[in-house]
Amino acid sequence: MRDRAAVTAITSLHHAGCECVRDTLDAPWKAELCTVLHACEEAELRWRLDAFLEGHLLEIRRVLARVKRVARLQWDDDDLALSYFGEALLRMLNQRWRAKDGSGTSPVFNHTANLPMILEAETRSCLRDDRRQGLLDGTAHVPGGSAQDRKSTHVGKSRQLFEVEHGSQPTDDELVTFHNDRMRATRKDAARQAVLITRDDLRAAWAVPLEDASIEIDDRLQASSPADSGPLNWSDRIRAVISRCERLDRERELSRTRRLKREPILSADVARVYFAHHAIGEFPTRREIIERLGVIEPAARRELSARLQEVLDVARNLFADYCRTT
């Protein structure tokens, strides 16, 4: 049993507007994720999430060890498993735990006491989703493989029943109509149970090796440049990114109501480090940016995450015309 002082320290980390059930206040990860869900601004949410991942990395890796074992992954790639954990965490935050009518938490989160197990199950669900699309190896005879894709199983059954009743192979339109009518007749709420299909669901998905990728296989690989741009003027655009970041830094400093006890992290400095080797296609990770700028204090590291996101937002805006519009 935890000692009273430890429990008090954990419960004090909860947000002031916390509505969590009292018996769950000291549950693993509950306090940190409670503050994440109560974050008022997107920047605050991002740095709180970053702090949560860094602070509980060892526990998360223990959870991911079970995920990799149960999912029978064919490689030992911790970064890949961690990326799926991040996807699962964001899915739970945005779709389950965040209150629908404003900031705060939903009743689902308030009564939750076993967050590690919930996030483990959601991570395995993300793995299953990608396996069904052929994006991971081993799509047969493993958990989440095509053999366990229930929608495909129902469609296959509908195809068999159509052949029995009509004595011929169904066309795509006939199969979609027949299957959806059968699901609506046999299910209480077929739409909510995600068993209805469209013609796109009948298209088989397959993985394409990178060395074999071509526009003929996937037209999303095609890119078009602006007609009047000529050669890509990356350097000019990047200088514009840095200039805009300098302006944002000045505006932030003028609007600051109190002086920091430390030197603030400037977006322009982060941009210069991030794009230092853009000519050869190398971009540093967050950890590498921290090392190059010599950021030591935890508060400064959290601010750096917000500044990095600001730089990326500015860059996406300035390079938007290079993205293919659909």
Side-chain angles (χ1 to χ4, degrees):
M1 184 133 182
R2 298 187 184 182
D3 105 4
R4 185 178 298 276
V7 172
T8 302
I10 293 174
T11 55
S12 66
L13 296 175
H14 281 257
H15 189 270
C18 166
E19 298 178 351
C20 297
V21 176
R22 293 189 60 83
D23 292 341
T24 69
L25 291 179
D26 63 335
W29 304 353
K30 192 71 180 280
E32 294 87 346
L33 290 177
C34 180
T35 59
V36 169
L37 289 165
H38 282 90
C40 298
E41 298 180 356
E42 191 67 22
E44 181 186 359
L45 184 145
R46 284 195 296 268
W47 71 254
R48 286 190 181 277
L49 265 179
D50 189 55
F52 165 74
L53 293 172
E54 286 190 357
H56 295 279
L57 190 57
L58 291 178
E59 296 98 318
I60 291 172
R61 291 199 183 281
R62 282 196 287 269
V63 169
L64 295 180
R66 293 194 297 271
V67 170
K68 290 188 293 184
R69 183 176 65 252
V70 174
R72 303 181 194 174
L73 294 179
Q74 294 184 2
W75 57 82
D76 188 17
D77 192 336
D78 291 338
D79 291 336
L80 177 73
L82 187 60
S83 70
Y84 275 105
F85 179 87
E87 180 184 349
L89 178 57
L90 290 176
R91 182 187 293 184
M92 295 300 293
L93 288 174
N94 296 325
Q95 299 180 11
R96 298 287 183 85
W97 294 339
R98 185 175 285 278
K100 303 299 181 183
D101 56 351
S103 61
T105 58
S106 68
V108 174
F109 179 84
N110 295 336
H111 290 79
T112 297
N114 198 343
L115 295 173
M117 181 175 291
I118 291 173
L119 288 171
E120 177 185 340
E122 192 66 21
T123 303
R124 289 162 55 188
S125 175
C126 292
L127 281 165
R128 286 195 296 270
D129 290 344
D130 275 3
R131 270 193 166 133
R132 288 167 184 163
Q133 298 298 319
L135 301 178
L136 282 174
D137 64 319
T139 56
H141 308 299
V142 293
S146 58
Q148 294 188 4
D149 188 348
R150 290 181 296 174
K151 181 181 287 188
S152 297
T153 302
H154 294 321
V155 173
K157 183 65 174 179
S158 295
R159 188 184 300 274
Q160 294 176 1
L161 291 175
F162 186 95
E163 292 175 3
V164 170
E165 292 183 14
H166 298 84
S168 62
Q169 290 280 347
T171 64
D172 288 350
D173 290 334
E174 289 174 339
L175 179 58
V176 169
T177 302
F178 183 85
H179 172 81
N180 289 342
D181 289 344
R182 187 171 77 89
M183 290 296 103
R184 291 190 182 99
T186 57
R187 299 298 181 101
K188 183 176 181 180
D189 191 346
R192 189 173 182 180
Q193 292 174 327
V195 292
L196 300 181
I197 63 171
T198 64
R199 290 190 61 178
D200 291 338
D201 293 319
L202 301 179
R203 296 176 57 188
W206 68 93
V208 179
L210 290 178
E211 60 271 17
D212 293 336
S214 65
I215 295 175
E216 289 75 14
I217 295 176
D218 191 345
D219 59 4
R220 291 173 299 176
L221 296 173
Q222 187 175 8
S224 57
S225 300
D228 59 346
S229 65
L232 292 179
N233 52 344
W234 294 98
S235 298
D236 294 339
R237 297 295 180 102
I238 289 170
R239 280 193 290 270
V241 170
I242 295 174
S243 297
R244 185 169 297 184
C245 288
E246 290 174 342
R247 178 168 59 81
L248 292 174
D249 289 332
R250 289 193 296 270
E251 293 174 355
R252 190 180 301 108
E253 189 62 30
L254 290 174
S255 64
R256 197 183 301 279
T257 57
R258 62 184 180 86
R259 187 176 183 83
L260 294 178
K261 296 181 180 179
R262 56 174 174 80
E263 288 297 321
I265 304 297
L266 302 179
S267 293
D269 292 339
V270 175
R272 292 187 185 96
V273 172
Y274 186 79
F275 291 108
H277 302 291
H278 72 89
I280 59 176
E282 289 187 0
F283 298 93
T285 63
R286 175 182 175 275
R287 187 176 300 277
E288 290 171 341
I289 295 174
I290 288 174
E291 293 174 355
R292 294 178 190 179
L293 292 179
V295 179
I296 299 175
E297 299 178 358
R301 292 190 176 197
R302 293 192 292 268
E303 186 182 12
L304 184 140
S305 297
R307 299 289 82 80
L308 176 58
Q309 186 60 50
E310 187 174 67
V311 170
L312 295 177
D313 291 341
V314 171
R316 291 189 187 100
N317 184 36
L318 290 176
F319 283 88
D321 55 335
Y322 287 124
C323 299
R324 182 186 179 188
T325 57
T326 56

